[in-house]
Amino acid sequence: MISFSITDKEIDSSTLKEKLGTAEDGAILVFEGVVRNHNEGKAVKSLFYEACESLASAEAERIMTEAVFKFGLSRIVCVHRTGHLNVGDVAVFVGVSTGHRGEAFAGCRYLIDEIKHRLPIWKKEHYLDGSHEWVNCSHHGHNAKHEHGEVSV
Amino acid sequence: MISFSITDKEIDSSTLKEKLGTAEDGAILVFEGVVRNHNEGKAVKSLFYEACESLASAEAERIMTEAVFKFGLSRIVCVHRTGHLNVGDVAVFVGVSTGHRGEAFAGCRYLIDEIKHRLPIWKKEHYLDGSHEWVNCSHHGHNAKHEHGEVSV
Amino acid sequence: MKTIKIRYFAMLREETGKDWEDLKTNASNLVELFDELKGLYHFSLPREALRAAVNNSFCDWQEQLKDGSEVVLVPPVAGG
Amino acid sequence: MKTIKIRYFAMLREETGKDWEDLKTNASNLVELFDELKGLYHFSLPREALRAAVNNSFCDWQEQLKDGSEVVLVPPVAGG
């Protein structure tokens, strides 16, 4: 069972976690990316996430299939939030279950890394000083490949 | 905030998770070790966990302090269950929060590995065929050091 | 002439003022399409900072365009 | 003579039939204590398979014993 979705509603981790785990699974691992009150030295007030849902869903399906193949994951549940988020809100949920913990840690880490690098999801940070910025879009041109790989959590 | 406890009651992950996360934390990671229906080729019916609580708590305090020092974790909540457990029951909960996901993954993995290797907690497996066995105690003598490091999840 | 649907997000949505458009074009591949759009909208991001997807798959900039293709121009992402 | 409190768990609890006992002993360190207990209970696990803790800290087997110390003999663990 693998599942990815995008939602503009609050992420309900408890309900999502219930989808993980079978009688063969000894390890459940859940990662949550949460809005912090600062990023790269600036005080963050709120965030706005925007996604290209059709492309994100297609690419997420590829990422999850890779993770099953590489790490033998039994179940995967991923959800990414869009819209306006405040400090403390969950922006992304990545839950996995499988037989042993080694694969759970490696697989969950793979999923969140690839989600951050590959999915067409964008983040605008609103700062306490009133300014705002599309993250990773401000310094461009010379090292685009690196910028695509830049991540905040 | 670091916390370790041993309980003979069902582990309530949702409530424990609420203790994690501060406004500075961008990453929350929760590992749960769950009773599987098999181990090393044998069909498992149930488990019995026994702990030396005073020594386990003292050693867990040392492990958590190491994890804070090594990985800069902001919050840690660990709970280990004792008594009779059935397939699907959560045996151990390890939750961490911190600024970035790299430290969360490394720190959480460190905690569960050290908990399994170092805490005085023992597991008797009851098999579907009616037999039972203290895990890691059956093949002894020649390579005790390795046996201490043997783990099941 | 072919008709290509182009979808804009984030910074590109703000710079074009559009979520999407149907463009009649002679562009044969994504490079030519991008150059045509850059002439219209003066994007602040160079092509090297972007990726492109056609029909929900990421593609090389050399990818040929067919009538009715849906193109997404993908500015640097920042999910999670 | 000193009095040492010894606590037994798992397989050792089953083999001694005890959760704990207060032992009057002349053993000066953990090795001598273990040998004395092995003579009484015929443990199936050799010392090399065990660890020992004194007053809630894991110790070397050479650790000296003091009157009133609490010793835990730790069979191979399997938490998690």
Side-chain angles (χ1 to χ4, degrees):
Chain A
M1 194 278 293
I2 64 176
S3 150
F4 171 83
S5 60
I6 288 177
T7 180
D8 58 3
K9 305 284 189 304
E10 198 174 322
I11 290 179
D12 179 356
S13 305
S14 301
T15 304
L16 294 172
K17 207 174 74 62
E18 286 171 15
K19 300 183 185 176
L20 300 170
T22 70
E24 281 81 33
D25 291 347
I28 296 177
L29 192 64
V30 171
F31 172 82
E32 290 175 12
V34 180
V35 179
R36 275 179 297 149
N37 64 2
H38 64 286
N39 191 28
E40 299 186 2
K42 296 183 84 167
V44 172
K45 187 180 149 215
S46 66
L47 293 183
F48 175 73
Y49 278 103
E50 179 174 332
C52 175
E53 194 161 337
S54 57
L55 177 58
S57 296
E59 188 71 3
E61 202 75 22
R62 289 185 275 268
I63 291 170
M64 293 187 293
T65 303
E66 292 161 14
V68 168
F69 181 76
K70 284 173 191 278
F71 306 105
L73 299 181
S74 151
R75 295 192 172 181
I76 303 173
V77 175
C78 302
V79 180
H80 204 296
R81 178 102 180 260
T82 53
H84 288 282
L85 277 75
N86 295 311
V87 173
D89 285 346
V90 176
V92 60
F93 174 103
V94 178
V96 305
S97 64
T98 187
H100 297 265
R101 73 185 184 288
E103 290 75 18
F105 274 90
C108 187
R109 180 69 195 264
Y110 180 82
L111 287 164
I112 182 61
D113 285 355
E114 298 301 306
I115 283 170
K116 281 169 167 280
H117 285 67
R118 288 163 58 182
L119 293 199
I121 298 177
W122 302 273
K123 175 163 63 177
K124 191 176 205 170
E125 289 183 334
H126 294 266
Y127 305 105
L128 275 187
D129 65 11
S131 64
H132 50 78
E133 192 178 283
W134 287 103
V135 176
N136 293 342
C137 292
S138 52
H139 324 286
H140 52 77
H142 294 300
N143 196 353
K145 189 142 197 195
H146 173 73
E147 285 191 351
H148 266 295
E150 208 172 300
V151 289
S152 66
V153 165
Chain B
M1 194 281 292
I2 64 176
S3 149
F4 171 84
S5 60
I6 287 178
T7 180
D8 58 3
K9 306 282 188 303
E10 199 175 322
I11 290 178
D12 179 357
S13 305
S14 301
T15 305
L16 294 173
K17 206 173 74 62
E18 285 170 16
K19 300 182 184 175
L20 300 170
T22 71
E24 281 82 33
D25 291 346
I28 295 177
L29 191 64
V30 171
F31 172 82
E32 290 176 11
V34 181
V35 179
R36 275 179 296 148
N37 63 3
H38 65 285
N39 191 28
E40 298 187 3
K42 296 183 83 167
V44 172
K45 188 181 146 216
S46 67
L47 293 184
F48 175 74
Y49 279 102
E50 181 175 333
C52 176
E53 194 161 336
S54 57
L55 177 58
S57 296
E59 188 71 3
E61 203 74 22
R62 289 185 276 268
I63 291 170
M64 292 187 294
T65 304
E66 292 161 15
V68 169
F69 181 76
K70 283 174 192 275
F71 306 104
L73 299 181
S74 152
R75 295 194 172 180
I76 303 174
V77 175
C78 303
V79 180
H80 205 296
R81 177 103 180 260
T82 53
H84 289 281
L85 277 76
N86 295 312
V87 172
D89 286 346
V90 176
V92 60
F93 174 103
V94 178
V96 306
S97 63
T98 187
H100 296 265
R101 73 184 184 287
E103 290 73 18
F105 275 90
C108 187
R109 181 66 195 263
Y110 181 81
L111 287 164
I112 183 61
D113 284 356
E114 297 301 306
I115 283 171
K116 282 171 166 278
H117 285 67
R118 289 162 57 180
L119 293 198
I121 298 178
W122 302 273
K123 174 162 65 178
K124 192 177 203 170
E125 289 183 336
H126 294 267
Y127 304 106
L128 275 187
D129 65 12
S131 63
H132 50 79
E133 190 177 284
W134 287 104
V135 176
N136 293 343
C137 292
S138 53
H139 324 285
H140 52 76
H142 294 300
N143 196 354
K145 188 141 195 193
H146 172 74
E147 286 192 350
H148 268 292
E150 208 172 301
V151 289
S152 66
V153 164
Chain C
M1 287 292 260
K2 42 178 110 59
T3 302
I4 304 293
K5 179 174 183 178
I6 306 155
R7 300 177 67 190
Y8 301 106
F9 293 92
M11 179 175 271
L12 296 183
R13 181 176 48 71
E14 292 177 349
E15 291 181 354
T16 60
K18 296 175 182 174
D19 289 334
W20 64 276
E21 68 181 312
D22 281 330
L23 185 77
K24 289 191 190 305
T25 178
N26 284 315
S28 67
N29 62 21
L30 287 166
V31 172
E32 291 177 22
L33 179 69
F34 181 83
D35 289 344
E36 185 175 337
L37 294 169
K38 194 173 174 66
L40 290 172
Y41 300 113
H42 309 288
F43 297 142
S44 64
L45 289 166
R47 182 163 60 80
E48 293 70 26
L50 306 178
R51 286 183 295 165
V54 176
N55 299 333
N56 289 332
S57 288
F58 285 103
C59 289
D60 197 271
W61 285 103
Q62 304 309 320
E63 182 80 8
Q64 298 295 306
L65 292 172
K66 297 195 185 80
D67 187 50
S69 286
E70 180 180 298
V71 171
V72 182
L73 295 181
V74 181
V77 302
Chain D
M1 288 292 260
K2 41 178 108 60
T3 302
I4 304 293
K5 180 174 181 176
I6 306 153
R7 299 176 68 190
Y8 301 106
F9 293 92
M11 181 176 270
L12 297 182
R13 181 176 48 72
E14 292 178 347
E15 291 180 354
T16 60
K18 296 173 181 173
D19 289 334
W20 64 276
E21 67 181 313
D22 281 331
L23 186 77
K24 288 189 192 306
T25 177
N26 285 313
S28 66
N29 63 21
L30 286 167
V31 172
E32 291 177 22
L33 179 69
F34 181 82
D35 289 343
E36 185 176 336
L37 294 169
K38 192 172 175 68
L40 290 170
Y41 300 114
H42 309 287
F43 298 143
S44 63
L45 289 165
R47 181 162 61 79
E48 292 71 25
L50 306 178
R51 286 181 296 167
V54 177
N55 300 334
N56 289 332
S57 288
F58 286 103
C59 289
D60 199 88
W61 285 101
Q62 305 307 320
E63 181 80 6
Q64 298 293 305
L65 292 172
K66 298 195 184 81
D67 187 50
S69 287
E70 180 181 299
V71 171
V72 182
L73 295 180
V74 181
V77 302

